[in-house]
């Protein structure tokens, strides 16, 4: 009888963990929805970059966010977030098959953040013209002073979705094909 009670308590704990995880996912989905709406409501290139960065910082409580694009149409080449990505940074971004999550090991992209010296961990999300597309035209960078916020073993499904949404919005700044 005692074994049965222990087993029931264990199952109750697992159910409670599943409920908490479900509630956390619903909260993330709501944040993702609000962020997506902010991005879609941006009417011009300047407000688009600001919406991606500011709404990401606000909705997901990310201390530092930056976006950098390259290969944009000449009309958008003077935007602040289309400046200064080296060939090495572009090659690194293109090599990512999924978002990079981990310690800041002196990446150039960390220098794009407002206060790079405070960044201990990073998430770097490649921006592509479509899911699985070979070409990469930018990088979304999320920085935190918490060394454990972005870890290599964390799931990246939501970050991949953020990258796809940001890519779809920012692709309108690329030259017409």
């Amino acid at each position: 009888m005692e074994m049965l009670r222990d087993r029931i308590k264990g199952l109750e704990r697992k159910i409670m963990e599943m409920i908490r995880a479900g509630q956390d996912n619903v909260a993330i989905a709501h944040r993702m929805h609000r962020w997506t709406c902010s991005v879609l409501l941006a009417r011009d290139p300047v407000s688009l970059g600001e919406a991606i960065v500011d709404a990401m910082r606000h909705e997901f409580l990310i201390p530092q966010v930056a976006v950098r694009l390259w290969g944009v149409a000449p009309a958008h080449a003077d935007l602040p977030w289309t400046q200064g990505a080296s060939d090495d940074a572009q090659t690194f971004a293109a090599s990512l098959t999924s978002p990079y999550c981990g310690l800041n090991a002196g990446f150039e992209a960390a220098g794009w953040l407002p206060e790079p010296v405070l960044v201990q961990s990073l998430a770097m999300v490649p921006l592509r013209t479509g899911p699985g597309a070979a070409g990469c035209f930018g990088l979304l960078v999320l920085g935190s002073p918490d060394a454990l916020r972005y870890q290599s073993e964390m799931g990246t499904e939501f970050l991949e979705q953020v990258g796809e949404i940001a890519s779809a919005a920012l692709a309108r700044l690329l030259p017409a094909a």
Side-chain angles (χ1 to χ4, degrees):
M1 188 60 101
E2 190 66 30
M3 275 181 44
L4 188 55
R5 284 189 188 126
D6 289 343
R7 187 175 172 132
I8 290 171
K9 285 181 184 179
L11 291 172
E12 286 174 346
R13 277 193 297 275
K14 286 183 182 180
I15 289 171
M16 293 307 294
E17 288 173 21
M18 290 171 62
I19 289 171
R20 271 192 296 276
Q23 290 170 336
D24 289 347
N25 284 341
V26 167
I28 290 171
H30 285 287
R31 289 185 189 119
M32 180 76 85
H33 176 76
R34 289 190 302 267
W35 177 78
T36 301
C37 288
S38 295
V39 171
L40 291 174
L41 289 170
R43 302 213 183 271
D44 59 75
V46 172
S47 63
L48 175 59
E50 291 170 355
I52 288 171
V53 170
D54 293 343
M56 179 68 58
R57 193 176 315 134
H58 173 73
E59 291 298 338
F60 295 98
L61 305 175
I62 299 171
Q64 297 192 56
V65 182
V67 65
R68 195 62 55 106
L69 306 181
W70 45 86
V72 298
H76 308 299
D78 61 340
L79 294 170
W81 33 274
T82 64
Q83 309 295 313
S86 72
D87 289 342
D88 287 343
Q90 293 177 35
T91 300
F92 172 76
S95 75
L96 294 174
T97 56
S98 63
Y100 166 86
C101 296
L103 293 175
N104 178 10
F107 292 103
E108 175 184 330
W112 304 338
L113 296 165
E115 296 181 83
V117 295
L118 301 178
V119 176
Q120 295 296 312
S121 65
L122 290 170
M124 295 184 280
V125 184
L127 303 175
R128 303 182 185 285
T129 54
C136 180
F137 68 91
L139 195 63
L140 178 64
V141 184
L142 314 175
S144 176
D146 179 359
L148 301 177
R149 173 131 189 206
Y150 302 110
Q151 300 179 37
S152 59
E153 57 275 345
M154 70 185 284
T156 60
E157 293 82 12
F158 282 115
L159 288 174
E160 289 170 12
Q161 289 178 0
V162 163
E164 290 173 10
I165 293 165
S167 294
L170 292 165
R172 67 181 124 166
L173 305 181
L174 298 175

